[in-house]
Amino acid sequence: MEKNQEYMSLALEQAQKALAAGEVPVGAVIVYKDKVIGKGYNKREEQQNALCHAEIEAVNEACRALNSWRLEDCTMYVTLEPCSMCTGAIINSRIDTCIFGAYDEKAGCMGGLCNLTDLSLGHRPKIIGGYMESEAQQLLSDFFRKLRKK
């Protein structure tokens, strides 16, 4: 299995954990030198905290693993295009590359709604969007379809 596919599959596993917990199914992993150093999934409802997005959870864990706020030479794999808060965290932590699954035209800030990385904010990560998009989108579609039925 190709490395990007392997790591995105791990992010999808994290999204499944969110789904099982009744959260919007978004998962993220951060890789440094072919090792997963951070992972997370949405926990906003569980924690009743607006900051508990998958990407923020993964960044926190990765910073602890490297004992640094600088996540240079790291790649984030996330199942949904990051929002403004998470894009800001990716920029501020100096993550080199963000590979995401589904585009988010309502709140995505790496090309869906807007692209914050086009601004001169001190760091510009490489972005690869739409990677394994159908798998990520299916999780989201199933979640929101069930939510509407309630």
Side-chain angles (χ1 to χ4, degrees), residues 95-146:
I95 290 174
D96 282 349
T97 305
C98 180
I99 300 173
F100 67 84
Y103 280 88
D104 184 351
E105 294 178 9
K106 293 181 181 176
C109 290
M110 288 190 166
L113 175 66
C114 66
N115 193 340
L116 290 181
T117 65
D118 284 344
L119 302 175
S120 296
L121 297 173
H123 175 70
R124 178 179 262 166
K126 179 180 177 186
I127 301 167
I128 300 170
Y131 189 80
M132 294 176 66
E133 184 172 18
S134 61
E135 294 92 328
Q137 188 60 55
Q138 189 64 53
L139 277 174
L140 291 160
S141 296
D142 290 349
F143 173 80
F144 287 111
R145 184 172 28 263
K146 287 177 186 171

Side-chain angles (χ1 to χ4, degrees), residues 79-110:
T79 59
L80 180 64
E81 179 183 359
C83 69
S84 58
M85 175 180 69
C86 295
T87 299
I90 290 163
I91 291 167
N92 285 311
S93 64
R94 310 293 195 268
I95 290 174
D96 282 349
T97 305
C98 180
I99 300 173
F100 67 84
Y103 280 88
D104 184 351
E105 294 178 9
K106 293 181 181 176
C109 290
M110 288 190 166

Side-chain angles (χ1 to χ4, degrees), residues 43-45 47-53 56 83 85-86:
K43 296 180 182 175
R44 287 190 311 176
E45 297 299 330
Q47 298 293 320
Q48 287 300 297
N49 185 329
L51 301 177
C52 291
H53 287 207
I56 302 300
C83 69
M85 175 180 69
C86 295

